[in-house]
Amino acid sequence: MTDTTPAVLFVCVHNAGRSQMAAGYLRALAGDRIDVFSAGSEPGDAVNPAAVAVMAEEGIDLSTATPQILTTDAVRQADVVITMGCGDACPIFPGKRYEDWQLDDPAGQPVEVVRGIRDDVRRRVEALIATLV
């Protein structure tokens, strides 16, 4: 992260669905204008295959993404922290911008449902970009 490039951290419990889709969209739509990170309070073993599939439909490859553990350093580096159902697991630092996105968990959902979650994530990411660049 540079002093002029904002950094965004997406956090959900398993870092396997919502946060991965949001990070994928932000990287694809903002390019190098925003530094993008994602993590989970209890990371899963792999990214949700349905999330990988619906993002591939959008031309975004999550097939090599791996869930990461949420660290205090990751939060410290971020200018904006977006939480998605991780409760109180995210450390709070003064001066950071926090948003909690209420999104359904795609875990165990059919692809048709995950597409709707993906589309909601995209709308939110597009609105976020407008506030950062």
Side-chain angles (χ1 to χ4, degrees), residues 22-130:
Y25 269 129
L26 189 54
R27 284 185 189 102
L29 298 172
D32 61 1
R33 297 177 296 163
I34 300 172
D35 291 330
V36 183
F37 306 94
S38 70
S41 54
E42 297 174 23
D45 295 328
V47 175
N48 179 333
V52 172
V54 300
M55 292 302 284
E57 293 172 358
E58 297 282 294
I60 298 171
D61 183 7
L62 294 183
S63 65
T64 60
T66 55
Q68 302 295 313
I69 185 75
L70 176 64
T71 65
T72 301
D73 284 342
V75 177
R76 191 175 287 123
Q77 290 177 9
D79 298 300
V80 180
V81 179
I82 309 290
T83 58
M84 304 171 186
C86 62
D88 297 329
C90 191
I92 303 294
F93 289 98
K96 304 271 180 215
R97 174 176 155 193
Y98 290 88
E99 291 184 22
D100 184 48
W101 290 0
Q102 298 294 317
L103 295 162
D104 291 334
D105 188 346
Q109 299 293 333
V111 169
E112 297 77 24
V113 172
V114 179
R115 278 189 191 109
I117 297 167
R118 174 202 65 197
D119 295 345
D120 191 5
V121 167
R122 181 180 181 126
R123 284 188 292 276
R124 291 168 187 256
V125 167
E126 288 171 339
L128 176 66
I129 291 169

